[in-house]
Amino acid sequence: MDIDRDKKNLVGLGRVELAAALAELGAEPFRARQLWHWIYHRGATDFAVMTSLAKAFRERLAERFVLRRPAVAAAQESHDGTRKWLLRFADGNEAETVHIPEEDRGTLCVSSQVGCTLTCRFCHTGTQRLVRNLSAAEIVGQVMLARDALGEWPSPKEDRLLTNIVLMGMGEPLYNFDNVAAAMKIVMDPEGLAISRRKITLSTAGVVPMIARCGSELGVNLAISLHAVSDELRDVLVPLNRKYPIAELLAACRAYPGSSNARRITFEYVMLRGVNDSPIEARELVRLLKGIPAKVNLIPFNPWPGAPYECSTDAAIAAFSDIVFAAGYSAPVRTPRGRDILAACGQLKSASVKTRRAERVVEPELA
Ligand code: SAH
């Protein structure tokens, strides 16, 4: 029996909620600031280490509260240094988090849902049925757990192994915006995890009505999973397109608060052999992006068991990239990372969820 099970988890609470939880114990507001520092700057997992607090107060905290991370059901490391954690939450559901080390930075790919409702044809996660949204605690917990594993407490000012966050793991973050936003506000707080909004990128398949809020409330970088230049094809690859077609999506991008030539919107384009990778499509992409401060990210398709597509040839990818680049856009080809441990884009999947190819898009209520 886990006696801590019924205790309230303080990880995932914002500043106001943390102060409210402590006020229940009769603690003064400055105690909340001290605790914030221990939780999010020092990474404490136990009240006993919080030496700036009186021992009696620490004991009262421990009676009522816990500082819980998601449990790690499995941890894997790729030969290229990419690490993947399979997390198991209190209710038995699972999701994955991936850390991708590079020369000058380290990116954490964070999940926002268990499974996904979008059923994009080329995505492994899309073959699972959505079980549920992750809570703010479970989203922030992924970042804290990575910091634990990387040994990065207290939050270092420089030379970090974890510098960037991409909301590109399992799930559609704009279908779980409130929890994603609460988690990112904690992550961005300069007195804690202190990862700036400029180092955070939210990737969406195109939930148009939520894009403006993402810009105005969070101000993070935006990435759009575009993948096709005609509605006809995008309807098939990204079924959400039937609801929010390309023209509406691009209009929302044009209006994205805070985008500029210095802060461009990333357009992700998965390279599918013979499906979306012709020079004609590259030129059409350039035409569509006109007037948007954009960069293009070409993603070689990552295969998974039973996938209905193949990756484009190197020559097709190079030709596509050249056309986009010649039009003035940066168009790097993303090197697949962690393919050997199924940690690359679109390969994430958790065993707790049954496989199913859904026939239609089941869309949660939008706020
Ligand atoms: N739902 C959000 C977040 C997921 S991000 C979104 O759609 O943007 C995951 C990124 O990986 C998306 O750009 C997705 O389109 C891409 N992707 C999915 N499956 C892939 C695969 N098999 N190979 C390469 N990229 C893939």
Side-chain angles (χ1 to χ4, degrees), residues 109-110 112-113 116 118 120-126 167-174 202-206 223-227 234 238 268-272 299-304 307 334 339 344-348:
C109 182
V110 169
S112 56
Q113 298 180 308
C116 189
L118 292 177
C120 299
R121 283 288 286 162
F122 50 85
C123 180
H124 202 194
T125 310
L167 286 152
M168 294 189 186
M170 294 168 59
E172 169 49 54
L174 293 188
L202 183 148
S203 178
T204 178
I224 301 286
S225 293
L226 191 64
H227 308 315
R234 196 164 189 271
V238 184
E268 298 161 278
Y269 199 94
V270 63
M271 299 301 294
L272 304 173
I299 316 176
F301 171 67
N302 291 308
W304 38 272
R334 199 189 280 171
R339 267 187 180 175
C345 296
Q347 293 185 312
L348 302 187

Side-chain angles (χ1 to χ4, degrees), residues 11-29:
V11 173
L13 299 190
R15 282 186 180 270
V16 174
E17 298 161 300
L18 183 63
L22 294 192
E24 285 173 29
L25 289 185
E28 309 90 321

Side-chain angles (χ1 to χ4, degrees), residues 184-313:
M184 289 306 114
K185 283 177 187 162
I186 294 171
V187 166
M188 294 189 287
D189 190 292
E191 275 177 59
L193 294 159
I195 298 175
S196 122
R197 65 192 174 85
R198 292 174 184 281
K199 306 263 182 203
I200 300 175
T201 301
L202 183 148
S203 178
T204 178
V207 184
V208 167
M210 299 303 292
I211 287 178
R213 276 186 70 193
C214 177
S216 60
E217 290 176 34
L218 290 180
V220 296
N221 302 311
L222 183 66
I224 301 286
S225 293
L226 191 64
H227 308 315
V229 293
S230 72
D231 283 323
E232 199 189 353
L233 179 59
R234 196 164 189 271
D235 281 350
V236 175
L237 296 180
V238 184
L240 183 65
N241 194 68
R242 293 180 213 148
K243 187 148 190 165
Y244 307 116
I246 292 173
E248 284 179 31
L249 177 56
L250 296 182
C253 291
R254 281 198 179 84
Y256 190 67
S259 70
S260 66
N261 283 337
R263 286 192 84 203
R264 292 165 183 271
I265 297 174
T266 303
F267 288 85
E268 298 161 278
Y269 199 94
V270 63
M271 299 301 294
L272 304 173
R273 185 173 192 158
V275 174
N276 65 353
D277 61 353
S278 71
I280 295 172
E281 285 158 309
R283 283 189 281 274
E284 178 61 8
L285 177 60
V286 167
R287 198 188 65 80
L288 286 177
L289 295 184
K290 207 167 173 2
I292 302 177
K295 57 187 174 191
V296 175
N297 221 317
L298 300 178
I299 316 176
F301 171 67
N302 291 308
W304 38 272
Y309 300 108
E310 283 174 278
C311 185
S312 304
T313 63

Side-chain angles (χ1 to χ4, degrees), residues 94-125:
E94 295 175 341
E96 292 181 318
T97 307
V98 178
H99 179 255
I100 307 148
E102 287 172 87
E103 205 125 286
D104 55 342
R105 62 176 157 181
T107 303
L108 192 71
C109 182
V110 169
S111 291
S112 56
Q113 298 180 308
V114 173
C116 189
T117 53
L118 292 177
T119 67
C120 299
R121 283 288 286 162
F122 50 85
C123 180
H124 202 194
T125 310

